[in-house]
Amino acid sequence: MGIAERKIRQKEEFRASILEAAWLQVLTDGWQSLSIRKIADAIEYSIPVIYNHFENKEAILLEFTKEGFQKLADALLEVKNNYTEPSAQLEAMAHAYWDFAFEHKEYYQLMFGLGIPACEMVNQIAEMKHMTGIMITTIQEAIASSKDTETNYFLKYHTYLSILHGLVSIEMIQKVGKPDPEKKLILQDAISGFIKSLTIN
Amino acid sequence: MGIAERKIRQKEEFRASILEAAWLQVLTDGWQSLSIRKIADAIEYSIPVIYNHFENKEAILLEFTKEGFQKLADALLEVKNNYTEPSAQLEAMAHAYWDFAFEHKEYYQLMFGLGIPACEMVNQIAEMKHMTGIMITTIQEAIASSKDTETNYFLKYHTYLSILHGLVSIEMIQKVGKPDPEKKLILQDAISGFIKSLTIN
DNA sequence: TAATTTTAGTTAACAGTGTTAACAAAAGTA
DNA sequence: TACTTTTGTTAACACTGTTAACTAAAATTA
């Protein structure tokens, strides 16, 4: 019975082509411009077929949100493995986070801008939990090898992520499309302060 | 010639009533739900009259963005004046910033979320420059009374604002409508680290 | 006061958006 | 071949921001 398998495969390909067309649209004109109709146009099908593969537009966005968090998690893990000292890992991960945000601006804006509007949804995105898990683990390792091993790791993780997201989003708001390398000084400044307070205290 | 004056007054009142109706709509159903039609309905006029007072919907949003930055600036100035030490001022302002964000969630989300999409616009909002000016001045005062008076104040201002915005927006994303007072620990943690690095170095 | 101009406000439409019900055509099964 | 299921289409609904064309009222001028 290869027919059923072929159908599943075709369905998967169809789904992928929808996402591909959507992503192309996003890359050329941004999230705000993405519409079901444009996707339907691009794949040369009528509008309702898209609803056979995705419950609604939000489901399509959710797919990209997951993809984004997965990519970010991968990027963090990769640089983390280049270091053994937790503090060095945190610093490298901070730079990787920054680089990801500006190299994949579209992903980042969806992940932390348009997406995640509802409250319960946050914990439903496994990919996000995965990413934050990497951060939390590293924070815990840093605390474990510090003088005060009783430091609240969750508080520190929250601080770490907040600093990173704050730096990125303020930079994204102020200047669009400027890959100002000098701005990494700000990242370096903020993150080294954080790491100091984590390792010294 | 009181007629012309009365007309100007009426026009101003009309404009105010549009903003009032819009704000009511935002308070009840959020920014996403705001529409020109609903405003027109609320003030019991037809749709095009709104375009006699505002160029487009964005202009209405811009009005609230300005209002928001003005309110934030006021809040910062008020708490700043309760202290003389720049470091104490920065700490108090951080708390005021946090409080403003969650007491005026609608304003904050517009100011840093929907609004300011274009690049040039940032410097066109005088109210925003005013607010950041207050922050920058205080940072400069803190640096002036520190050991290293050569510290880059603009870098430190950027870091300060980024930490605040990061904390607020991460908190806003994760939990909607939870006034968790424990979360102020994170603010305290991050901001005291920043102030330390500002005054000690 | 009467005629004219200016202003204020309306209706109706255009060009979009997400979403879905009703139907036709193709594909698979008996 | 006849029947059932899947697949895809057309057409519509209920919205959105925005604007052109028109009418009624107000203010100005002769």
Side-chain angles (χ1 to χ4, degrees), chain B residues 74-108:
Chain B
D74 291 346
L76 293 182
L77 260 188
E78 195 180 325
V79 300
K80 175 176 172 164
N81 289 335
N82 292 339
Y83 300 86
T84 52
E85 280 291 311
S87 60
Q89 290 176 337
L90 286 176
E91 189 173 334
M93 283 161 65
H95 282 92
Y97 186 99
W98 174 281
D99 292 338
F100 172 86
F102 290 100
E103 282 169 18
H104 304 93
K105 222 173 229 181
E106 295 78 17
Y107 275 120
Y108 196 87

Side-chain angles (χ1 to χ4, degrees), chain A residues 74-85:
Chain A
D74 292 346
L76 292 182
L77 260 189
E78 196 182 324
V79 301
K80 173 175 174 164
N81 289 335
N82 292 339
Y83 301 86
T84 51
E85 279 292 311

Side-chain angles (χ1 to χ4, degrees), chain B residues 14-159:
Chain B
F14 207 139
R15 191 185 149 91
S17 79
I18 291 174
L19 290 175
E20 194 184 339
W23 186 240
L24 207 70
Q25 185 64 46
V26 168
L27 284 183
T28 45
D29 288 329
W31 286 112
Q32 307 299 340
S33 157
L34 179 65
S35 82
I36 302 288
R37 276 173 173 79
K38 285 178 188 167
I39 298 174
D41 261 19
I43 63 175
E44 294 180 307
Y45 275 87
S46 66
I47 297 155
V49 294
I50 292 173
Y51 289 89
N52 294 338
H53 299 266
F54 296 94
E55 195 184 345
N56 49 29
K57 189 182 180 181
E58 203 182 336
I60 298 177
L61 299 184
L62 184 61
E63 205 65 26
F64 288 114
T65 303
K66 288 178 179 175
E67 257 186 52
F69 278 113
Q70 187 58 55
K71 281 180 195 292
L72 176 54
D74 291 346
L76 293 182
L77 260 188
E78 195 180 325
V79 300
K80 175 176 172 164
N81 289 335
N82 292 339
Y83 300 86
T84 52
E85 280 291 311
S87 60
Q89 290 176 337
L90 286 176
E91 189 173 334
M93 283 161 65
H95 282 92
Y97 186 99
W98 174 281
D99 292 338
F100 172 86
F102 290 100
E103 282 169 18
H104 304 93
K105 222 173 229 181
E106 295 78 17
Y107 275 120
Y108 196 87
Q109 286 172 355
L110 180 65
M111 289 155 67
F112 289 96
L114 310 173
I116 331 174
C119 26
E120 320 87 36
M121 188 169 283
V122 177
N123 290 329
Q124 288 183 356
I125 301 178
E127 287 81 358
M128 186 180 187
K129 285 189 112 174
H130 179 209
M131 187 223 83
T132 58
I134 295 170
M135 285 187 175
I136 291 176
T137 303
T138 316
I139 296 272
Q140 285 175 320
E141 289 164 358
I143 292 174
S145 65
S146 76
K147 292 174 183 170
D148 180 11
T149 58
E150 293 302 309
T151 305
N152 184 338
Y153 74 89
F154 194 74
L155 185 147
K156 289 296 179 182
Y157 145 72
H158 199 126
T159 306

